[in-house]
Amino acid sequence: RVKGIYVLAEAIPDIVALMSAIRFVFIGKDLNWQTDLQRFFLEKGVIEHVMFLGGVEQETLLAWYRQADIAVVPSLNYESFSYTCAQAMAAGVSLVASRIGGIPETVEYGEAALLVSPGDASVLSEAILALAGNSELRRSLALRGIEIAESKFAQDVVAQQILKVYESV
């Protein structure tokens, strides 16, 4: 729940109503919520627009990022850093993410993502539709995300930052 998947679920029927070719893929180890969501999507008539993969290996996850047009991180929970956002940016995927905790800083205050209020399904659906309908915006956010990921989160960059901290103490 704290990752905002129920907020995303609530937004999906409205999105599908306006963009019938759209598809959503849920990836994650904890599938306790899968049955509830499948029932919800079936009742709303959008089950064919949704896929549940469960937990996947890192390489498979990266492959899915590379195939995606948009990554959605609708977190409701304060996160000091969003590894999910960083991974998506490194893979060159445009983002819709919650404006909460460290997410805005991770995506440089909206330069690499559309940021939305946490918990608001209608605002989330508007942002997803805005990106889904604008390939140029998706491309510009994705390119900026790659730049940020390479300049801030690459292994060698992080290793140098850690080394500097150790050298300073």
Side-chain angles (χ1 to χ4, degrees), residues 17-91:
L18 296 171
M19 191 169 280
S20 62
I22 200 161
R23 300 288 181 266
F24 295 86
V25 180
F26 287 81
I27 301 173
K29 292 177 189 171
D30 184 6
L31 292 181
N32 293 332
W33 40 265
Q34 183 176 343
T35 303
D36 291 342
L37 289 183
Q38 285 174 324
R39 189 176 312 116
F40 173 78
F41 293 134
L42 190 58
E43 289 171 5
K44 296 293 183 179
V46 296
I47 191 73
E48 67 277 2
H49 295 270
V50 181
M51 178 188 309
F52 296 93
L53 292 184
V56 297
E57 297 294 324
Q58 190 67 20
E59 283 304 312
T60 303
L61 177 61
L62 295 176
W64 276 99
Y65 275 131
R66 288 189 289 272
Q67 292 178 61
D69 290 319
I70 303 167
V72 182
V73 184
S75 187
L76 302 173
N77 193 35
Y78 183 94
E79 298 179 33
S80 58
F81 175 79
S82 176
Y83 187 68
T84 303
C85 288
Q87 278 187 313
M89 290 188 311

Side-chain angles (χ1 to χ4, degrees), residues 109-121:
Y109 297 95
E111 288 188 32
L114 296 184
L115 295 174
V116 299
S117 299
D120 190 331

